[in-house]
Amino acid sequence: MNTKEMEPTTQKNIHKNIFEEDLSIVVDELVNLSFKQVNEGKEEFVRKQHVLDYIKNHNINLQEIYNWLLNNQNNSNSIYLLGYFNYHGILTNLDKKKAFELYDKAAKLENNLAQFSLAYMYEDGEGGHKDYNKTFKISKKLADNGHSGGINLLGYCYYNGIGTDIDMQKAFDLYQKAADLGNPKSQYNLALMYEVGIIENDDNKAFELSKKSAEGGYSGGMNLLGYYYNFGVGTDVDMQKSFELYQKAANFGNHDAQYNLALAYEYGSGVEKDINKAIYWYKKSAKQGSQNAKKKLEVFSEN
């Protein structure tokens, strides 16, 4: 008989076992919550904040959960979450190569969230593995399993020709399917297709879809709805509403909305003209890579 089996059940051992079990439950809940939010169209930075808030609200020290993950790589959720910590540089150096390896390992164990994350890494070439064919293959698998995040991603693949031929009708149909499931990212994508007139031109549908996307908490949808109020696309012009929506999306970190908000302050559209605030938001947008914002700042610098 193993002598460990005969150890007395001390209070210390009880607490340790409860703590270990609790952390296991926390890891499962975190991963399930994140995947649920993927299918709700929540953006990456929003999901990350929710992960950190969840840990904080459960009075768990980040270092404790990180150490636990290092020593408990025995299921796909803990493998994925350790990869997530590496991907975002949470309590460790940012290491996307290591994140890719862990995501890949969890994905092979049929972890849906790992598969979704891996598909985007293959598309962007993060971790040194650019492969459009694998992005398409993974997104199709997720879509076939009925996950709206995967359906939206597959539509994106058909729209942009990622791992497949461009097929606007298939993209449209997939975006529609995911939008009907309540995915605000797909509602946003579908709104753009209606506005531009791909397959069908309908500004009223574009407006209604952008409204649903914004109400679903997607910053891209908020920015698009602000744009529609600004220019009267499918609705009457309302500069005040436009400004408020740009402000809300900008506060979420959307660089397009930050640029549009800066324009509103520069020209006094829906708000009192304020060049200092305009420059502030141009800088925020430029920092995230907006070329239009960078050009604006160059003009201000010259003047």
Side-chain angles (χ1 to χ4, degrees):
M1 182 180 290
N2 189 326
T3 56
K4 286 191 70 176
E5 294 179 14
M6 300 182 67
E7 286 181 357
T9 307
T10 64
Q11 191 68 22
K12 180 180 179 182
N13 287 336
I14 291 173
H15 285 314
K16 181 180 177 183
N17 292 335
I18 292 172
F19 184 67
E20 292 282 323
E21 183 181 345
D22 285 348
L23 281 181
S24 179
I25 292 169
V26 165
V27 168
D28 289 342
E29 288 184 349
L30 273 174
V31 175
N32 292 337
L33 172 66
S34 290
F35 190 60
K36 178 176 179 286
Q37 291 179 339
V38 162
N39 291 308
E40 292 172 348
K42 295 291 189 294
E43 293 154 282
E44 175 60 36
F45 67 89
V46 174
R47 299 199 306 271
K48 178 185 175 185
Q49 189 58 52
H50 285 168
V51 166
L52 297 175
D53 287 345
Y54 183 98
I55 293 171
K56 181 181 178 181
N57 292 338
H58 283 73
N59 297 316
I60 299 170
N61 184 282
L62 267 175
Q63 189 66 56
E64 287 177 335
I65 196 168
Y66 178 70
N67 292 341
W68 187 90
L69 288 170
L70 288 174
N71 295 301
N72 290 271
Q73 289 291 285
N74 49 8
N75 67 68
S76 70
N77 282 345
S78 60
I79 293 167
Y80 167 80
L81 196 58
L82 183 60
Y84 188 84
F85 274 51
N86 277 271
Y87 185 91
H88 290 285
I90 300 173
L91 289 183
T92 184
N93 292 329
L94 191 149
D95 189 339
K96 294 196 174 179
K97 184 177 179 181
K98 181 66 174 177
F100 178 90
E101 292 170 357
L102 289 162
Y103 286 167
D104 185 50
K105 186 177 179 181
K108 287 173 179 173
L109 295 173
E110 300 301 322
N111 187 290
N112 289 321
L113 185 54
Q115 291 170 348
F116 183 83
S117 301
L118 202 59
Y120 272 105
M121 290 194 80
Y122 274 126
E123 185 212 343
D124 295 333
E126 293 179 308
H129 298 270
K130 194 176 188 72
D131 192 327
Y132 285 163
N133 291 328
K134 287 186 177 178
T135 296
F136 177 79
K137 183 180 178 181
I138 294 171
S139 64
K140 190 173 188 307
K141 182 177 181 179
L142 289 167
D144 289 343
N145 288 332
H147 303 302
S148 72
I151 296 168
N152 176 71
L153 183 55
L154 185 59
Y156 177 82
C157 288
Y158 278 116
Y159 188 93
N160 293 285
I162 295 172
T164 185
D165 295 330
I166 290 175
D167 190 326
M168 292 300 179
Q169 185 63 59
K170 282 186 177 179
F172 181 87
D173 292 341
L174 286 160
Y175 285 155
Q176 182 69 69
K177 185 176 180 179
D180 289 342
L181 290 171
N183 190 299
K185 206 168 184 178
S186 281
Q187 292 164 347
Y188 165 84
N189 289 329
L190 198 60
L192 288 174
M193 291 189 81
Y194 274 119
E195 180 205 336
V196 177
I198 299 173
I199 310 301
E200 179 185 349
N201 180 258
D202 192 323
D203 285 350
N204 291 327
K205 285 184 178 178
F207 173 78
E208 289 302 322
L209 283 161
S210 70
K211 193 168 184 287
K212 285 183 179 180
S213 179
E215 289 170 349
Y218 183 54
S219 70
M222 297 171 198
N223 179 62
L224 186 62
L225 185 60
Y227 175 85
Y228 288 165
Y229 275 119
N230 196 347
F231 293 98
V233 178
T235 186
D236 295 330
V237 171
D238 190 326
M239 302 307 290
Q240 182 63 41
K241 282 186 179 178
S242 175
F243 171 80
E244 289 170 358
L245 285 158
Y246 287 156
Q247 179 77 72
K248 188 174 181 180
N251 289 336
F252 268 104
N254 186 293
H255 68 85
D256 290 324
Q258 289 169 346
Y259 176 78
N260 288 331
L261 185 63
L263 282 175
Y265 274 119
E266 181 181 357
Y267 295 104
S269 302
V271 67
E272 187 177 346
K273 187 174 179 178
D274 191 323
I275 297 300
N276 289 328
K277 286 184 179 179
I279 292 173
Y280 170 82
W281 286 108
Y282 281 136
K283 284 182 177 179
K284 296 276 281 187
S285 181
K287 190 175 181 180
Q288 294 196 75
S290 170
Q291 294 303 313
N292 288 330
K294 289 177 183 178
K295 290 177 183 176
K296 278 285 188 177
L297 288 171
E298 288 173 5
V299 172
F300 278 112
S301 179
E302 291 172 1
N303 293 334

